[in-house]
């Protein structure tokens, strides 16, 4: 099948085509030509207002419901959401039912690979049933296609278990994730411990709960070696701790959820459970430090931390509501409210190498892995813009800037 993309402005800082407006001819999944003007008989021509093209985007932390929580999100609709939001590769968390803690679960997720053009890269559970007691079958899951190991939103409470995991994983070059929260300090808190939680009568989760866990994990990493990823950090001190660890030469990476850059704990005033996430929304000082951490390269990647939650678990009292927000549909436009188009694309295309996923290339003869978008489309995001089955977005009624047209990847074109 031949597809011709007309008059596309390329956003790819490391490429000779950066900021050039070109035509792109795709045939049988590959880039056949990149020229100023291409005339050819094709099966489909794509022409769109203010069309821009970048390499396909990657997200390191995605949750879907299936298997077990299909009322939240099915894999089919979730992958359609990812594609129409501009993502060509996603790492899927193991918080299904049953927990993805063995090779069969990994193979099930991999069986959906390339649906709608989206590459699915499973994250296996670090421990059996994510109960933080016994290590899961890491080696078997790695052979089945797992790109990392994590107990999603559950800290590794036993430091010896993390030590053993980091030591064992070095035998097959695996990436271990450790969620940054010390439960003995967080306890049953549900909001950032600060002025707003006190004013609202909500039990707080201190920044210390995150920072103490990160400090512990970095000490263990220094002792064991290995590769550690700390997902969704949220405090100023966390950025500093990771900066110092990198200066020491430790093999550590981290991510930040996009909503942590945009919103702060002031949003809790209305007790809207869509703003209940883990880690909790922190202070404006923390948000500024996270943005700076991205600009300085200390924070390695952004994530939507997309987590669909059904209405029964969100439309309840704030303290009883489930943690999580969806974020795929708003990722690009939300980042554009802070960063330039070039920096936004840089952030959305980072992270693959850390998870052992090959980076795509924009050259003639290469497999096409592209995201199509308009960086200057301003609108107010509302529930009608949500593709996900669950509607738990904290971005509803937000004014954002940027529209995704779709993707071409894995021999498939998906348009929004």
């Amino acid at each position: 099948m031949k597809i011709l993309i007309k008059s596309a402005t390329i956003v790819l800082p490391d490429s000779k085509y950066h900021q050039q407006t070109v035509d792109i001819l795709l045939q049988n999944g590959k880039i056949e030509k990149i020229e100023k003007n291409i005339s050819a008989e094709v099966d489909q021509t794509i022409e769109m207002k203010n069309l821009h093209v970048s390499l396909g985007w990657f997200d390191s932390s995605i949750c879907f419901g299936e298997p077990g929580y299909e009322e939240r999100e099915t894999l089919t609709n979730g992958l359609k959401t990812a594609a129409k939001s501009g993502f060509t590769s996603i790492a899927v968390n193991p918080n299904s039912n049953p927990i993805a803690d063995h090779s069969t679960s990994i193979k099930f997720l991999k069986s959906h690979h390339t649906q709608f053009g989206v590459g699915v890269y499973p994250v296996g559970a670090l421990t059996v049933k994510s109960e933080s007691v016994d290590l899961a079958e890491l080696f078997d899951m790695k052979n089945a296609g797992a790109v990392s190991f994590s107990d999603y939103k559950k800290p590794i409470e036993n430091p010896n278990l993390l030590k053993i995991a980091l030591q064992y994983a070095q035998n097959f070059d695996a990436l271990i994730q450790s969620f940054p929260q010390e439960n003995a300090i967080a306890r049953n808190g549900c909001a950032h411990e600060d002025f707003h939680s006190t004013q609202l009568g909500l039990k707080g989760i201190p920044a210390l709960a995150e920072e103490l866990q990160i400090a512990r994990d970095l000490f263990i990493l220094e002792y064991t070696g290995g590769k550690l990823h700390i997902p969704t950090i949220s405090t100023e001190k966390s950025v500093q701790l990771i900066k110092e660890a990198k200066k020491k030469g430790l093999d550590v990476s981290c991510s930040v959820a996009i909503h942590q850059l945009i919103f702060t704990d002031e949003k809790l005033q209305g007790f809207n459970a869509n703003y209940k996430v883990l880690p909790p929304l922190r202070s404006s000082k923390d948000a500024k430090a996270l943005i700076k951490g991205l600009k300085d390269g200390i924070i390695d990647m952004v994530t939507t931390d997309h987590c669909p939650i059904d209405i029964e678990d969100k439309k309840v009292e704030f303290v009883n509501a489930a943690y999580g927000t969806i974020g795929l549909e708003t990722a690009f436009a939300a980042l554009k409210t802070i960063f330039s188009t070039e920096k936004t694309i840089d952030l959305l295309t980072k992270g693959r190498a850390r998870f052992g996923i090959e980076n795509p290339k924009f050259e003639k003869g290469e497999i096409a892995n592209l995201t199509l978008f308009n960086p200057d489309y301003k609108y107010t995001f509302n529930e009608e813009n949500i593709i996900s089955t669950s509607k738990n977005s904290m971005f509803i009624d937000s004014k954002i800037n940027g529209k995704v047209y779709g993707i071409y990847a894995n021999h498939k074109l998906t348009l929004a």
Side-chain angles (χ1 to χ4, degrees), residues 280-332:
L281 295 176
R282 301 288 187 182
S283 69
S284 58
K285 185 181 179 184
D286 290 313
K288 289 175 183 175
L290 294 168
I291 292 170
K292 188 176 186 300
L294 282 169
K295 290 178 177 178
D296 294 344
I298 299 163
I299 300 175
D300 300 270
M301 64 196 80
V302 296
T303 173
T304 63
D305 204 23
H306 182 84
C307 186
I309 302 293
D310 55 276
I311 193 169
E312 287 81 6
D313 288 319
K314 274 295 186 182
K315 290 290 184 179
V316 294
E317 295 86 351
F318 189 90
V319 295
N320 295 323
Y323 292 103
T325 182
I326 59 173
L328 281 169
E329 295 96 326
T330 51
F332 173 62

Side-chain angles (χ1 to χ4, degrees), residues 219-240:
F219 270 118
I220 295 172
L221 179 65
E222 188 172 9
Y223 176 80
T224 61
K227 298 194 299 186
L228 179 67
H229 180 71
I230 302 174
T232 60
I233 67 170
S234 67
T235 79
E236 180 182 26
K237 181 65 174 177
S238 296
V239 177
Q240 187 61 35

